[in-house]
Amino acid sequence: MSPTPLPPPRLALTRLSSKAGRAVALAALLFAVTGLSIQLWRLLSLTASYDQGIFTQVLWNTLRGHPFESTLSSQLSTNVIHAGQPPALGYQRLGQHFTPLLLLWAPLVGTLGSGALGVIQVLLVTAAGLTLHRLARHWLPAGPAALISISFFAANAVIGPAWGNFTDLCQLPLLVFLLLLGLETRRTAVIAVAALLIPLVREDTGVVLMGVSLWLLVRQRQRWPLALLLLLWGGASVLLAMNVWMPQFSDDNARRFMVENFGHYIEGQEEASSLEVLRSALGQPPVLLRELVNPPDQTLRYLIGLTLPLMLVPLVSIDAWLLISLPMLGLLLARGSNNPLSINIRYTYLVVPGLYAGAALWWQRHLGLFQSRRLRRVWMGCMALSLIFTLTSNPNRSISWLVPDSVSPWVHVGLQESWQRARQSRLLLQVIPPGVPVAASTHLVPPLARREVLVRFPQSITYLDRGGREQPVDWVAVDLERLRRYAPAFEEDRDVLQLCRERLQAMGTDFGIQALRDGVVILERGAADVEGSRDGLEQLLRASDQG
């Protein structure tokens, strides 16, 4: 019997490319379906929280002729945090974060509400992974290009933020990959559009563009005019946004965010511009060097977590370090209440594009290693580990129905109970009329966010109207049972629960109880209590205190 003839080389390559492409498409589909399902669950189970409410309110107000206004954002302003003022109607979020590109999504939020934000986020990140695959195919054969892309969809640093509250940074990976693709294919229009839009994502995303320009200067020196143009645009956009445009709306960047994130370089100052922080930091080289690695264990875990699905390749890739140098420098040197070195929150999107593009470029120079079947198995094992670590970390409490929020003490709310409680809570929220001023606890904020006045309870029950006069809210909605469940394990929930008890007791009978069930209470200013509800609230407060 004659041996079966081998297929022609070109046909074999075509089959391999087709198989690899299907694998990437399958990974993208699984990522999108899982992400959309998680976001739907977060919406229906009332797991989404404050930031989701902020973006919903910002875009809802924008459609109604009040661009970027948000009383929820005002609650995070220096006037409220430091001066003790009530949140203000008319406050524009652009003073905290300069995010003009968000305007693109306002029509969807106006139509679908906060649910649109989760869809936008997951689909943008999915599109970023597919664009990465197209970019990698310009540098690599089908096999390694596919694994690069599948690694993206398996990365904790990609999945974690995608499963959380909406973030403006979810727009960034797609734009960066499009810019790199435009540079690779020399398509001027793609380069121009991506480079123009990247700094409009947020006030600090111009540093990502500067990182790309640095890579271009080192790796493609003949294109130095373009590199310098990108460098100037990226740097100018950051300086203008932080020092010219944002101060037109509020002084929050100088008085709050710069001090909170970089106050260790400007000790004793109550406010500082980005230029003042930069000048002060550069004048303290020992402090800069210390902060680059401090705390060393957390920094190491962060770098390993970022690069694990890529088999740690970016750690030895010069291209990766060039691309991420400036945004990574900002993350390593910053502090703040939102830990910038957390693998599950939005800041990873500042460095993820450079890490994956840099890894693809490393493989371009080491293609011979990919022939090792053992090495490919190790790579796939790293992807599997990344997925395991992602699931067991329960990113942003998005799969609390599956993974306990705490083991000691035990905190776990199962799927059925979570669904039933959320369903009852949503029914109770229907008591509140549309458009009226409301104060709500954190997880009740997103479903109530399509209104002009919404503040966070228990921190506030008043607001400043457009004339600067203090006004009380008309309704209050608070979920005491959720706080009671989490209080034994989490100090923040314990503190908020105590504040809720104090606030409710201080309110007395000024607010009448209109609904009370399963630990959720709805109150209306100036109304009478529903019969028997006051005793029920007192029992609930005593139970939460004992718990």
Side-chain angles (χ1 to χ4, degrees):
M1 180 181 296
S2 60
T4 303
L6 293 173
R10 181 174 296 180
L11 179 59
L13 288 174
T14 301
R15 289 176 179 173
L16 176 60
S17 177
S18 177
K19 183 178 180 181
R22 286 196 298 269
V24 172
L26 178 60
L29 180 64
L30 288 173
F31 179 89
V33 170
T34 304
L36 291 172
S37 300
I38 292 291
Q39 287 291 348
L40 179 62
W41 168 254
R42 284 173 58 83
L43 181 71
L44 297 179
S45 67
L46 301 183
T47 304
S49 56
Y50 200 69
D51 281 1
Q52 195 90 352
I54 287 177
F55 285 107
T56 301
Q57 189 183 43
V58 162
L59 296 177
W60 188 86
N61 277 327
T62 296
L63 284 176
R64 278 148 186 81
H66 301 292
F68 294 97
E69 284 190 9
S70 171
T71 51
L72 293 169
S73 284
S74 178
Q75 197 144 11
L76 302 177
S77 68
T78 186
N79 289 343
V80 176
I81 299 295
H82 298 140
Q85 297 179 9
L89 181 60
Y91 177 89
Q92 291 179 294
R93 186 176 179 268
L94 293 173
Q96 290 179 14
H97 293 296
F98 192 75
T99 56
L101 197 58
L102 284 178
L103 290 173
L104 288 175
W105 315 117
L108 280 175
V109 171
T111 304
L112 302 176
S114 60
L117 293 173
V119 174
I120 292 166
Q121 179 157 283
V122 171
L123 294 184
L124 281 174
V125 178
T126 304
L130 292 173
T131 306
L132 167 63
H133 180 242
R134 186 173 176 183
L135 174 65
R137 283 295 283 120
H138 281 274
W139 295 329
L140 297 168
L147 285 187
I148 290 280
S149 308
I150 295 170
S151 297
F152 177 88
F153 292 120
N156 194 344
V158 174
I159 297 172
W163 286 6
N165 290 327
F166 180 82
T167 168
D168 35 35
L169 291 177
C170 72
Q171 305 164 103
L172 186 61
L174 175 59
L175 290 174
V176 176
F177 289 139
L178 284 173
L179 174 61
L180 293 171
L181 184 61
L183 290 170
E184 177 63 24
T185 57
R186 297 181 180 268
R187 295 174 65 181
T188 304
V190 176
I191 296 171
V193 171
L196 176 67
L197 295 182
I198 285 173
L200 302 184
V201 171
R202 217 171 79 149
E203 70 279 359
D204 54 355
T205 49
V207 298
V208 178
L209 196 58
M210 294 170 70
V212 173
S213 68
L214 179 62
W215 167 76
L216 201 59
L217 276 171
V218 174
R219 289 304 202 185
Q220 300 183 35
R221 296 178 186 175
Q222 72 279 9
R223 304 178 77 179
W224 64 266
L226 176 58
L228 287 179
L229 188 62
L230 295 177
L231 181 67
L232 289 172
W233 167 232
S237 68
V238 173
L239 292 176
L240 287 171
M242 290 188 174
N243 298 282
V244 179
W245 300 328
M246 293 172 68
Q248 301 299 315
F249 300 96
S250 73
D251 55 0
D252 288 321
N253 189 55
R255 294 191 53 131
R256 185 175 170 217
F257 296 104
M258 282 292 122
V259 174
E260 289 182 3
N261 294 329
F262 301 101
H264 43 298
Y265 304 111
I266 50 170
E267 293 184 5
Q269 293 184 226
E270 294 184 357
E271 64 177 288
S273 68
S274 60
L275 286 173
E276 290 170 331
V277 169
L278 179 61
R279 184 164 50 246
S280 179
L282 291 176
Q284 305 174 71
V287 177
L288 279 176
L289 292 175
R290 183 189 69 211
E291 291 297 327
L292 277 175
V293 296
N294 187 45
D297 56 336
Q298 186 178 10
T299 301
L300 182 61
R301 286 199 305 270
Y302 184 64
L303 292 174
I304 291 175
L306 284 172
T307 59
L308 177 61
L310 291 165
M311 205 171 53
L312 309 184
V313 160
L315 296 180
V316 296
S317 169
I318 295 175
D319 295 283
W321 283 110
L322 287 170
L323 287 164
I324 70 168
S325 55
L326 295 178
M328 180 62 81
L329 188 65
L331 295 180
L332 293 176
L333 295 179
R335 297 179 185 174
S337 55
N338 289 325
N339 181 8
L341 298 187
S342 171
I343 198 75
N344 283 320
I345 64 175
R346 56 190 176 274
Y347 302 117
T348 59
Y349 287 159
L350 289 165
V351 294
V352 157
L355 290 171
Y356 281 79
L361 288 165
W362 185 90
W363 278 107
Q364 186 185 42
R365 295 176 172 84
H366 301 84
L367 267 179
L369 295 175
F370 192 76
Q371 303 305 314
S372 169
R373 180 175 296 181
R374 178 177 297 179
L375 192 66
R376 294 199 300 272
R377 287 175 177 172
V378 170
W379 190 350
M380 287 185 280
C382 288
M383 290 187 221
L385 273 178
S386 178
L387 285 172
I388 291 170
F389 291 150
T390 301
L391 293 175
T392 55
S393 72
N394 186 12
N396 300 293
R397 295 185 180 177
S398 294
I399 50 173
S400 293
W401 51 271
L402 177 65
V403 179
D405 291 289
S406 173
V407 175
S408 181
W410 182 262
V411 178
H412 179 242
V413 182
L415 182 68
Q416 184 176 1
E417 184 180 358
S418 295
W419 172 256
Q420 289 175 346
R421 285 207 73 247
R423 181 173 176 274
Q424 288 298 329
S425 298
R426 292 196 306 274
L427 289 174
L428 292 182
L429 292 177
Q430 293 178 10
V431 174
I432 301 174
V436 299
V438 178
S441 57
T442 298
H443 291 277
L444 300 181
V445 162
L448 294 168
R450 288 195 286 178
R451 64 188 67 234
E452 273 197 331
V453 178
L454 177 62
V455 297
R456 177 154 56 177
F457 187 89
Q459 289 82 354
S460 296
I461 57 170
T462 62
Y463 66 97
L464 298 179
D465 63 19
R466 294 190 185 275
R469 297 176 295 271
E470 186 170 359
Q471 304 286 353
V473 298
D474 292 336
W475 289 77
V476 171
V478 54
D479 187 345
L480 292 170
E481 177 60 20
R482 177 187 286 270
L483 292 168
R484 188 195 68 79
R485 287 284 185 96
Y486 285 100
F490 301 98
E491 183 179 0
E492 181 180 357
D493 292 298
R494 194 158 55 245
D495 292 342
V496 172
L497 179 59
Q498 178 61 30
L499 286 174
C500 284
R501 285 195 295 262
E502 295 172 359
R503 177 73 81 175
L504 288 169
Q505 290 167 351
M507 287 161 54
T509 56
D510 293 342
F511 284 76
I513 302 170
Q514 302 304 294
L516 176 63
R517 185 166 182 177
D518 293 337
V520 176
V521 57
I522 311 293
L523 306 99
E524 181 184 7
R525 181 170 58 89
D529 292 339
V530 172
E531 185 176 354
S533 59
R534 185 62 58 173
D535 290 339
L537 177 59
E538 293 298 332
Q539 292 175 9
L540 181 61
L541 292 174
R542 286 195 296 271
S544 64
D545 192 19
Q546 295 169 1

